[in-house]
């Protein structure tokens, strides 16, 4: 199941690109000691939710499959990549990655990379496939 409804796709795309552009501007304006891990453009709750849902949908298209669940609470989760799916008694696959919305959006937009966010402790990942660096950024 997709993280975003078909009817919301254009709004989600617009909100993701708006967030990305604001984040890139903020990252470019950091002073030399500035931390790109702190980039988090302020947007209203609905716009951020739509940006997250749209970007998760794009990840799902880029790497379809049932093997890894990517969760960005509270706004969405998708299953991606080939591999063992969840068993019928436990709907969670063996590999799970959880991220906060700003962390996810920074990664999806290319503001930061997987190793930076992981080193900072911003990514919770369980399982053998706990690194999505080859799939990111999405744009």
């Amino acid at each position: 199941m997709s993280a975003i409804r078909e009817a919301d796709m254009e709004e989600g795309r617009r909100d993701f690109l708006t967030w990305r552009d604001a984040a890139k501007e903020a990252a470019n304006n950091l002073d030399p000691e500035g931390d790109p891990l702190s980039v988090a453009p302020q947007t209203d709750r609905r716009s951020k939710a739509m940006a997250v849902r749209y970007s998760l949908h794009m990840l799902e298209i880029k790497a379809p499959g049932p093997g890894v669940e990517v969760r960005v609470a509270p706004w969405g989760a998708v299953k991606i990549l080939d591999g063992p799916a969840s068993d019928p008694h436990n709907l969670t696959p063996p590999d799970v990655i959880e991220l906060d919305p700003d962390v996810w959006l920074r990664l999806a937009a290319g503001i930061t990379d997987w190793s930076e966010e992981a080193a900072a402790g911003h990514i919770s990942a369980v399982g053998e496939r706990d690194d999505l660096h080859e799939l990111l950024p999405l744009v």
Side-chain angles (χ1 to χ4, degrees):
M1 176 159 176
S2 180
I4 190 170
R5 297 179 318 151
E6 185 69 33
D8 293 332
M9 199 70 70
E10 187 53 40
E11 179 183 0
R13 180 179 182 281
R14 184 186 67 241
D15 289 339
F16 175 70
L17 294 176
T18 298
W19 192 98
R20 180 201 65 189
D21 293 346
K24 284 187 176 190
E25 182 177 339
N28 288 337
N29 291 330
L30 287 172
D31 59 46
E33 284 88 41
D35 184 5
L37 298 172
S38 68
V39 171
Q42 296 304 305
T43 60
D44 64 87
R45 184 173 169 81
R46 177 175 170 81
S47 295
K48 187 179 280 188
M50 295 304 286
V52 166
R53 290 176 181 141
Y54 176 80
S55 56
L56 284 172
H57 175 71
M58 299 312 297
L59 177 66
E60 189 176 35
I61 289 170
K62 189 172 187 177
V68 178
E69 186 167 287
V70 179
R71 300 174 182 166
V72 182
W75 293 312
V78 294
K79 292 181 182 174
I80 62 167
L81 298 173
D82 289 330
S86 54
D87 68 54
H89 304 290
N90 176 7
L91 299 178
T92 303
D95 298 305
V96 177
I97 298 170
E98 296 181 355
L99 309 109
D100 290 334
D102 286 321
V103 173
W104 168 248
L105 290 171
R106 282 194 301 267
L107 289 166
I111 304 303
T112 56
D113 65 37
W114 193 268
S115 61
E116 289 176 291
E117 296 285 1
H122 295 167
I123 298 171
S124 172
V126 176
E128 293 177 8
R129 293 170 294 168
D130 61 354
D131 186 335
L132 301 180
H133 82 274
E134 292 180 359
L135 299 173
L136 299 167
L138 295 173
V139 293

